[in-house]
Amino acid sequence: MTTHWMKKTSVGLEPVDGSVLPRSKVGDVLRVKISQPRNGNHHAKYWVLVNKIFDNQNYLSTPEKLHQAIKCGTGYGETKHRKNGDPYTVYDSISFGAMEQEEFNQYYDRVLDFICSEILPYIEKEEFKKDIEEFLT
């Protein structure tokens, strides 16, 4: 299966790089999987947020551990059970290949909810979002 980057236009989809679809002609029916690629800036904003919080706390030793704590706090994972019945959680990945932009939007919104309720309960979510945007500009 070949991947082609397409741009939505007023009349349909057109290849971004000017390529043509192989072995197809006008009128052919093709099976297409539509996905919206992740917004790299949004992903970067998440990591700026994680690092900023990390720099202002003293209970976790790395930004990656804070990231794992955030995934735990947002419930972004799946609970499994060992043979003896003890539960453990496998946290899902937020990598570009693991989730599309819409899912990342939902995750990021849950992250903001978690931060504003558990880590920084003295700040309102909308105020926090504004602060993040100001920090990035």
Side-chain angles (χ1 to χ4, degrees):
M1 183 169 173
T2 305
T3 300
H4 293 274
W5 288 89
M6 309 293 281
K7 176 174 63 175
K8 185 175 180 180
T9 69
S10 60
V11 294
L13 299 174
E14 68 179 44
V16 171
D17 58 5
S19 66
V20 294
L21 300 175
R23 297 187 221 160
S24 63
K25 58 184 183 287
V26 173
D28 283 353
V29 175
L30 305 171
R31 182 177 62 170
V32 179
K33 179 182 177 188
I34 304 293
S35 68
Q36 183 177 7
R38 284 273 294 281
N39 178 333
N41 291 334
H42 197 190
H43 190 81
K45 179 168 54 172
Y46 171 78
W47 281 102
V48 167
L49 172 68
V50 168
N51 281 292
K52 191 68 172 165
I53 291 171
F54 173 77
D55 290 343
N56 290 285
Q57 59 82 45
N58 59 7
Y59 50 92
L60 294 167
S61 59
T62 67
E64 181 61 34
K65 287 183 180 176
L66 175 59
H67 168 61
Q68 293 301 320
I70 289 169
K71 289 198 288 188
C72 175
T74 59
Y76 194 68
E78 184 177 343
T79 300
K80 304 282 188 179
H81 292 86
R82 293 182 174 86
K83 288 181 183 180
N84 67 2
D86 290 345
Y88 67 97
T89 303
V90 176
Y91 296 106
D92 295 331
S93 172
I94 68 163
S95 73
F96 279 74
M99 63 169 52
E100 293 184 7
Q101 185 60 41
E102 183 57 36
E103 186 179 357
F104 188 77
N105 290 345
Q106 294 169 7
Y107 171 72
Y108 188 80
D109 195 54
R110 289 194 329 240
V111 167
L112 295 179
D113 288 339
F114 172 71
I115 290 169
C116 292
S117 67
E118 301 294 326
I119 297 176
L120 304 171
Y122 49 84
I123 190 166
E124 294 294 322
K125 183 176 176 180
E126 291 307 312
E127 180 184 346
F128 188 52
K129 286 168 69 173
K130 182 179 157 197
D131 290 346
I132 294 166
E133 294 303 321
E134 287 177 5
F135 179 76
L136 292 172
T137 57

